[in-house]
Amino acid sequence: MYKKIIKRLMDIIIGLLGSILTVPILIVLAPIIHFTDGGPVFFNAQRIGKDGKLFKMYKFRSMYVNAPDIRNSDGSTYNGDDDPRVTRIGQFMRKTSIDEFPQFWNVLKGDMSLVGTRPPTEDEFKQYKARYKK
């Protein structure tokens, strides 16, 4: 039980520090992202968290607004270096992982943890066997 408390405490501390660090990045990136095509600064994706709870996972938007959904032959999302849907600032954010910084807010809220698997999409979760859904 104490391990879960320590893990959550670490998530809160690092989530808070990460959220504070995200603010200056947001101040710089927000106008650049918005003026690229007039779209929103953040992208949010529905994900499945602990106990099957649905939540919004936040990221800085790295693609153009209304970019088409491109899939690989296995059904996974296309994510190549030559993806035409990614903006120039989006390429930089992805390369440096800055697009992931808003997820510190998700960690702080308790939607996700710094340690563990990446929360799956609803479609991915449906394909899990019962023992993995725990």
Side-chain angles (χ1 to χ4, degrees):
M1 180 65 172
Y2 70 93
K3 288 181 182 181
K4 286 184 180 185
I5 293 170
I6 291 172
K7 181 179 179 187
R8 181 64 191 134
L9 206 60
M10 292 300 295
D11 279 349
I12 290 169
I13 292 167
I14 296 171
L16 186 59
L17 292 172
S19 294
I20 291 168
L21 183 62
T22 302
V23 172
I25 295 169
L26 173 65
I27 290 169
V28 172
L29 286 181
I32 298 170
I33 294 168
H34 178 72
F35 290 121
T36 298
D37 61 1
V41 173
F42 296 103
F43 167 77
N44 62 67
Q46 295 289 330
R47 298 294 175 131
I48 305 292
K50 187 176 178 184
D51 300 323
K53 181 183 170 198
L54 195 63
F55 73 95
K56 287 182 182 180
M57 185 178 74
Y58 298 102
K59 294 178 75 169
F60 286 122
R61 186 173 57 86
S62 61
M63 290 188 176
Y64 288 101
V65 173
N66 298 322
D69 186 13
I70 301 174
R71 301 266 170 182
N72 294 313
S73 58
D74 65 356
S76 63
T77 304
Y78 179 75
N79 194 13
D81 289 336
D82 61 342
D83 193 336
R85 303 169 300 165
V86 179
T87 63
R88 285 182 66 203
I89 190 66
Q91 290 172 348
F92 169 75
M93 290 187 305
R94 285 181 172 197
K95 194 173 283 187
T96 58
S97 296
I98 290 173
D99 61 325
E100 308 276 348
F101 271 57
Q103 291 175 27
F104 281 116
W105 177 246
N106 289 114
V107 171
L108 190 58
K109 287 177 26 183
D111 294 332
M112 53 192 283
S113 180
L114 290 169
V115 178
T117 58
R118 184 176 185 90
T121 64
E122 291 180 78
D123 289 339
E124 291 169 339
F125 189 74
K126 288 176 187 173
Q127 295 176 19
Y128 284 7
K129 293 180 178 166
R131 68 179 183 207
Y132 295 118
K133 288 185 178 183
K134 292 181 180 183

